[in-house]
Amino acid sequence: MSEAHVQVTLKKSILDPQGSAVEKALRQMGYPVDAVRVGKFMEIRIADGLSRTEQREALEEICRKVLSNPVIEEYTFSLEDQP
Amino acid sequence: MSEAHVQVTLKKSILDPQGSAVEKALRQMGYPVDAVRVGKFMEIRIADGLSRTEQREALEEICRKVLSNPVIEEYTFSLEDQP
């Protein structure tokens, strides 16, 4: 069984008001942070019976077409075998 | 400069309706997924001048007290030096 960990974040050039709000709050509470950016995180269990290459291709397509908005977001994922 | 990558997810025992919705949508579109769980992802730049241990302690506290609800969520983070 394979599990993918997908991270979707706003592109660096796009303002992140949610991240700025978290950053401001943390600083007011005295925490030593310089910048915060907020994104989405997804754990996806891939169906059995696919090769690693097919899994990667399916995930690329899922990330590009469904989970992210490529105009303002970018994604990374890692794929691991689960016991 | 150090950057932390924080992942906050619902505990396994907690229902994740958002993840279920994404899973159902992906399956209807024909993608080979078995399960999806949705969480939050945060990139946090830590202020300079702290030891690695102090950075970890601050992050632990931020995650526990601010970024997650320990009743229903769990978190992991990794800490890396940035150029």
Side-chain angles (χ1 to χ4, degrees), chain B residues 30-41:
Chain B
Y31 291 113
V33 299
D34 271 351
V36 178
R37 290 182 75 80
V38 176
K40 288 173 281 184
F41 173 66

Side-chain angles (χ1 to χ4, degrees), chain A residues 7-82:
Chain A
Q7 289 152 358
V8 179
T9 50
L10 286 167
K11 288 182 180 171
K12 296 288 174 215
S13 55
I14 306 286
L15 270 183
D16 176 9
Q18 193 185 358
S20 304
V22 174
E23 177 194 332
K24 226 172 267 176
L26 287 174
R27 277 213 226 163
Q28 277 169 6
M29 298 168 83
Y31 291 113
V33 300
D34 271 351
V36 177
R37 290 182 75 81
V38 176
K40 287 173 285 184
F41 174 67
M42 277 150 288
E43 292 172 346
I44 301 179
R45 242 186 15 234
I46 308 285
D48 288 330
L50 293 178
S51 72
R52 188 41 64 106
T53 311
E54 287 166 335
Q55 289 177 344
R56 290 208 152 268
E57 280 168 6
L59 263 173
E60 275 287 351
E61 199 175 312
I62 288 171
C63 288
R64 202 178 60 243
K65 293 193 179 169
V66 187
L67 301 181
S68 76
N69 173 355
V71 178
I72 58 167
E73 291 173 325
E74 57 195 10
Y75 59 84
T76 58
F77 65 81
S78 62
L79 198 51
E80 279 162 35
D81 284 326
Q82 296 284 312

